[in-house]
Amino acid sequence: MFSKILIANRGEIACRVIKTARRLGVKTVAVYSDADAGAPHVLQADEAVALGGMTAAESYLKADLIIQAAKDTGAEAIHPGFGFLSENAGFARQVAAAGLVFIGPPPAAIDAMGDKIESKRLAKAAGVSTVPGSAEAITDPEEAVRIANEIGYPVMLKASAGGGGKGMRIAFDDAEAREGLIRAASEAKSSFGDDRVFVEKFVVEPRHIEIQVLADGHGNIVHLFERECSIQRRHQKVIEEAPSPFLDAETRASMGAQAVALAAAVGYQSAGTVEFIVGPNRDFYFLEMNTRLQVEHPVTEMITGLDLVEQMLRVAAGEKLAFGQDDLKIDGWAMECRLYAEDPARNFAPSIGRLTRYRPPEEVNGVRVDTGVAEGGEVSMYYDPMLAKLVTHGADRAAAIDRMRQALDRFQVAGIRHNLTFLAAVMGHARFRSGKISTAFIAEEFPDGFADDALAPARIDTLAPIVAARHAALREREAALGGPSAPTLAHAYAVLIGEERRDVTVDLASGDGGATVAMDGRFVRILGDLDPVSRMFDGEADDIALSVQITREGPGYRLIHGGVNLRALVLSPRAAELYALMPEKPEPDTSKFLLSPMPGLLKTVLVKAGDQVEPGQALAMVEAMKMENVLRAERSAIVATVDAEPGASLAADQIILTFAE
């Protein structure tokens, strides 16, 4: 085993590798950009080396600086994590040439599988099922249209060197095929320095299911079963689980055998993933092979009991696998949710800013948190928006989901917009719980994005008595400290949540730290800590265990639970009557502006003052966290002024265009 390794990455994956290395007694070296100075992975490593620069191109993609850092600190090997240089065969060769060990597959395997066109050809030769499509890269939009018509719409325009949802577009007609090729090529050029794109058939109602493989340098290869990664948005995974609720034993064995055959065909070593698209009849087709550790590897670890980072280190050190295929069994079910810095209400636009509060749930009872940020840290526009991965394990799928719902309710994040309530809503969605999912799940079930108050009506009867009891406890404390309220056993309130009102009476006289709340002619028994200073309520409401985040916000409260983020007011009945008479402030009219939906870089403006635009017409393109976002006209209008120039750094809601009245 190595005595010291360098981790050529950042964020949660760098912290993840450090965790295993520390357990094995291996010292670690972190590298960091100027934007990451003081980041958790820098603080957790035994040593850290500054690379300089703010962007990835100035730091984490600088192979020469990273290799020099390894040599200067006496590291024997480099773990690339995922993203950045992890699937760069040239980097792997440079590492070897410097006398260091690359903790990953041989460069030849990276070359073979890193090119989606070449990997498809090799997969076909190895007897792996492949999707119909172009055999070579396409540069001419008209050629893309010809191939699309030949294999039939819908089609996928996919960058050969792409990944993480970048450089991918779905087209349903000729116009979308033309634009999709241009956009996919541009995005891939920006993110990967390779603008080659190919066309393939898009499988209707597809599931994204992948097989984890593990191979050593002695000819031993196993698969560690499958992961279902179908819950995606913009081709980027959001929720993963293992095993898949869709596969039967026969399909699982067949997919596993094909994945192992492909790994053998390219002389693979280390951990890798063979991704498949699976149709409604369990027909499956090879998508690509990721020659690195996957983001979603924790769910495989949870159901197999293996540490994949440890296995990568052991294989790189020349050890044989200590187990065979027959030794591997599936134990229970695991679920993973990706916490993103994004705004679900704005079509999941990226969010940046300071984490004024960041408190993950405790890692006990089948709960695991892989994270690379900390409270007080800055979420910048330079890197991927993923902040953490929340993973749960249970005896079966329902248990893993229920544990995830509880853990999501306990995950406290403030200062930026995030997708925690969206993830909780998915966990509670009947279709998701049934397992009848596809890669179109989010688009079909949340076509207009997701609003934090979407599930409010279903949560109010649960939340109203809890917040009322907490408010009564606050008033009792104020009275005890000489505040304005007199102590009383019963508190009568009107609880206002959104458009709903609940009239309640709270009795705190139970003496057990709980309360009895009379509401709508029935009694709700609240058990748990009603400490008004705490931001969490962990307890029971009518014998149902639940967690609710309760934060003071002005004269009211902010409530987060079960997929909702709601503001509540707890008022006296008279104050509630007066509050109902207050006029509502109208929303500002922004229809005459094109606003940036997110912070980012304005790459292009496609119109000029005086132009007539029509619904659906592309007006501008904003790049945020390495994703290109095309902004389109919502109605017919004439452009009055162009208010921002290409190259400008935009804030959310900044005006790009103004339309004539």
Side-chain angles (χ1 to χ4, degrees):
M1 180 55 67
F2 307 109
S3 60
K4 182 187 289 188
I5 65 172
L6 180 141
I7 304 161
N9 219 295
R10 65 178 298 278
E12 64 89 12
I13 185 55
C15 295
R16 165 74 188 88
V17 175
I18 290 169
K19 184 177 181 180
T20 289
R22 182 178 294 130
R23 179 174 61 79
L24 296 176
V26 177
K27 292 190 178 297
T28 55
V29 180
V31 292
Y32 62 95
S33 67
D34 291 344
D36 279 339
H41 77 280
V42 177
L43 301 177
Q44 292 175 18
D46 295 294
E47 300 174 63
V49 178
L51 299 174
M54 299 292 283
T55 67
E58 298 169 312
S59 54
Y60 299 107
L61 293 176
K62 289 283 190 180
D64 54 342
L65 295 182
I66 291 170
I67 291 171
Q68 190 61 50
K71 294 171 70 174
D72 290 345
T73 55
E76 303 156 271
I78 295 178
H79 195 301
F82 45 67
F84 296 139
L85 296 170
S86 63
E87 294 182 283
N88 187 309
F91 176 62
R93 291 188 177 95
Q94 285 179 263
V95 170
L100 305 170
V101 177
F102 181 74
I103 303 173
I110 299 176
D111 274 333
M113 292 292 99
D115 185 314
K116 290 183 174 61
I117 296 171
E118 176 66 9
S119 67
K120 188 176 178 181
R121 185 188 66 78
L122 290 170
K124 200 168 187 177
V128 180
S129 302
T130 58
V131 183
S134 59
E136 304 295 336
I138 305 299
T139 57
D140 180 7
E142 296 309 318
E143 177 69 2
V145 168
R146 185 191 67 76
I147 294 172
N149 279 280
E150 186 177 286
I151 63 178
Y153 287 105
V155 298
M156 174 79 79
L157 291 303
K158 183 184 294 185
S160 181
K166 300 177 181 69
M168 299 172 68
R169 292 291 189 276
I170 298 173
F172 291 87
D173 56 37
D174 292 356
E176 291 184 354
R178 291 186 186 95
E179 182 177 345
L181 180 74
I182 295 169
R183 290 274 67 80
S186 173
E187 201 166 85
K189 181 72 173 178
S190 173
S191 296
F192 310 107
D194 184 343
D195 63 357
R196 291 175 303 151
V197 174
F198 67 99
V199 184
E200 69 179 22
K201 179 69 177 174
F202 181 73
V203 178
V204 179
E205 295 184 20
R207 285 176 177 259
H208 187 132
I209 300 177
E210 59 192 29
I211 303 292
Q212 175 72 58
V213 295
L214 188 61
D216 62 23
H218 305 275
N220 302 303
I221 308 174
V222 298
H223 71 81
L224 307 182
F225 314 110
E226 81 279 2
R227 296 185 287 256
E228 171 105 30
C229 308
S230 296
I231 305 299
Q232 306 177 4
R233 52 108 180 90
R234 292 197 291 269
H235 315 298
Q236 194 167 51
K237 300 167 187 174
V238 178
I239 297 171
E240 303 98 352
E241 59 184 300
S244 165
F246 186 60
L247 294 193
D248 54 25
E250 181 180 355
T251 309
R252 175 178 294 116
S254 181
M255 292 176 71
Q258 289 196 18
V260 168
L262 180 59
V266 298
Y268 201 81
Q269 297 174 32
S270 194
T273 298
V274 181
E275 300 195 354
F276 293 91
I277 199 77
V278 183
N281 297 319
R282 295 194 179 92
D283 46 327
F284 58 90
Y285 305 99
F286 170 75
L287 276 179
E288 61 184 338
M289 183 176 188
N290 289 298
T291 54
R292 54 172 167 80
L293 190 67
Q294 289 280 90
V295 174
E296 57 272 21
H297 75 274
V299 292
T300 296
E301 294 182 327
M302 297 287 257
I303 67 165
T304 62
L306 294 173
D307 182 328
L308 290 180
V309 173
E310 176 184 348
Q311 296 303 318
M312 292 181 74
L313 291 173
R314 293 192 181 283
V315 167
E319 297 183 24
K320 292 182 179 180
L321 295 182
F323 45 83
Q325 192 66 56
D326 292 341
D327 299 314
L328 299 168
K329 307 295 179 187
I330 296 175
D331 175 22
W333 213 284
M335 195 74 53
E336 175 178 291
C337 286
R338 300 190 188 191
L339 170 58
Y340 285 115
E342 63 185 14
D343 189 347
R346 289 177 173 240
N347 195 27
F348 303 97
S351 176
I352 63 174
R354 186 170 298 280
L355 288 165
T356 57
R357 190 169 184 83
Y358 185 78
R359 307 286 175 89
E362 192 175 358
E363 293 188 78
V364 295
N365 301 323
V367 176
R368 167 176 166 177
V369 182
D370 285 13
T371 187
V373 298
E375 191 165 290
E378 191 78 19
V379 179
S380 76
M381 64 181 289
Y382 299 110
Y383 308 115
D384 187 273
M386 189 176 71
L387 305 178
K389 300 176 308 197
L390 180 60
V391 191
T392 57
H393 182 266
D396 54 28
R397 189 169 188 267
I401 290 174
D402 289 343
R403 188 160 286 163
M404 178 63 75
R405 295 182 74 183
Q406 181 95 4
L408 287 167
D409 284 342
R410 292 193 55 79
F411 209 135
Q412 301 178 53
V413 181
I416 60 166
R417 292 291 296 165
H418 54 79
N419 66 333
L420 281 172
T421 50
F422 171 72
L423 295 169
V426 173
M427 287 294 122
H429 198 288
R431 178 180 165 189
F432 177 80
R433 293 184 71 91
S434 75
K436 296 177 181 178
I437 57 179
S438 75
T439 56
F441 175 87
I442 292 177
E444 291 171 353
E445 300 299 332
F446 304 94
D448 301 317
F450 174 75
D452 283 315
D453 59 356
L455 299 173
R459 303 285 183 264
I460 288 175
D461 286 342
T462 298
L463 297 175
I466 293 174
V467 71
R470 174 67 70 86
H471 187 76
L474 174 65
R475 290 291 173 257
E476 291 281 345
R477 171 173 290 193
E478 288 176 343
L481 295 173
S485 300
T488 178
L489 297 180
H491 300 255
Y493 299 119
V495 180
L496 308 179
I497 303 178
E499 301 296 321
E500 300 287 332
R501 170 175 170 165
R502 296 292 185 273
D503 293 306
V504 304
T505 301
V506 181
D507 184 354
L508 294 171
S510 59
D512 58 5
T516 299
V517 181
M519 183 178 73
D520 295 336
R522 64 186 183 92
F523 292 94
V524 181
R525 188 77 186 105
I526 306 296
L527 290 176
D529 186 3
L530 294 177
D531 181 359
V533 176
S534 173
R535 290 173 176 254
M536 287 295 307
F537 169 80
D538 280 309
E540 297 180 0
D542 278 348
D543 299 322
I544 298 175
L546 74 171
S547 299
V548 182
Q549 295 182 40
I550 305 178
T551 308
R552 287 306 301 266
E553 188 176 271
Y557 298 87
R558 177 63 56 182
L559 309 177
I560 300 176
H561 167 74
V564 300
N565 184 338
L566 301 169
R567 185 171 183 270
L569 286 173
V570 185
L571 305 173
S572 69
R574 177 55 179 161
E577 292 176 6
L578 297 174
Y579 183 80
L581 301 176
M582 295 180 65
E584 293 188 13
K585 183 178 180 180
E587 293 288 333
D589 180 12
T590 60
S591 61
K592 69 175 185 176
F593 303 113
L594 176 68
L595 306 177
S596 178
M598 67 204 74
L601 177 69
L602 181 59
K603 293 199 70 174
T604 57
V605 176
L606 303 172
V607 294
K608 61 183 183 301
D611 283 357
Q612 172 76 43
V613 300
E614 300 299 334
Q617 181 178 339
L619 304 177
M621 198 266 285
V622 177
E623 183 184 86
M625 293 178 171
K626 297 302 180 184
M627 295 293 285
E628 293 184 353
N629 304 273
V630 178
L631 308 184
R632 301 180 183 277
E634 296 182 353
R635 60 184 176 86
S636 297
I638 296 175
V639 178
T641 59
V642 176
D643 302 285
E645 297 297 326
S649 293
L650 302 175
D653 292 328
Q654 184 170 335
I655 298 172
I656 301 173
L657 303 175
T658 301
F659 302 108
E661 293 284 355

